[in-house]
Amino acid sequence: MNKQQYEQLLKPLNERRVAQRTQAGRQFSYLEAWDVKAHLIRIFGFGGWSWDVLSTDLMFEDLKDGKWNVGYKVLGRLRLESLYCSYTEAAVGSATLPQRGEAHDMAIKTGESDALKRAAINLGTQFGLSLYNNGSLADVVGRTLDMEGEASDD
């Protein structure tokens, strides 16, 4: 990892990147999957990362009131080749739609997006880790010992 990449990972999260949603009466802050992908490209380059879906497992499917309710568990792996590391995460995505195929498609996409975002938080604040600290935008890592000397050298 070069100095610019390291410094970018330690910056506070830009509030313009944070989306909001309400779930069960509570407000949540999160990053959109497209934003996480764009930031992976900005920091690691177009070929510097990859996302592999390792499995998709149908968890449930039912038809009620003319709509298909479908859920999939998606297991995926984020790879950063230049850092020789990978992060594996899973998520369950669900969708309720009138078209059976569209419900399956949307449930898989939702699970895949959520798994990618969970894997990316291992890269720190720029990928939403700080949001788990009551929606904070401040960097929660501060520094890493493996780059301590290199980050300050020019």
Side-chain angles (χ1 to χ4, degrees), residues 11-94:
K11 287 183 177 179
L13 185 58
N14 184 329
E15 66 182 298
R16 293 185 312 229
R17 294 181 53 216
V18 179
Q20 303 286 322
R21 69 181 156 106
T22 302
Q23 184 176 329
R26 290 186 55 199
Q27 184 87 1
F28 289 95
S29 299
Y30 67 100
L31 296 179
E32 303 265 3
W34 68 266
D35 177 80
V36 168
K37 290 176 182 178
H39 222 60
L40 284 164
I41 293 167
R42 283 184 203 108
I43 294 175
F44 299 104
F46 289 106
W49 67 281
S50 64
W51 172 249
D52 303 311
V53 174
L54 303 176
S55 65
T56 56
D57 298 310
L58 180 64
M59 303 302 289
F60 57 87
E61 175 191 56
D62 58 68
L63 179 63
K64 183 177 180 183
D65 299 326
K67 292 188 176 182
W68 290 93
N69 185 31
V70 177
Y72 277 89
K73 180 177 84 172
V74 177
L75 178 66
R77 180 175 46 232
L78 173 62
R79 291 178 185 254
L80 299 164
E81 298 300 332
S82 66
L83 300 180
Y84 306 103
C85 67
S86 63
Y87 304 102
T88 304
E89 288 288 343
V92 174
S94 62

Side-chain angles (χ1 to χ4, degrees), residues 3 6 10 141-153:
K3 182 180 175 183
Y6 181 78
L10 293 176
V141 177
R143 64 186 178 118
T144 64
L145 297 178
D146 64 327
M147 294 289 289
E148 193 66 19
E150 293 178 46
S152 60
D153 291 344

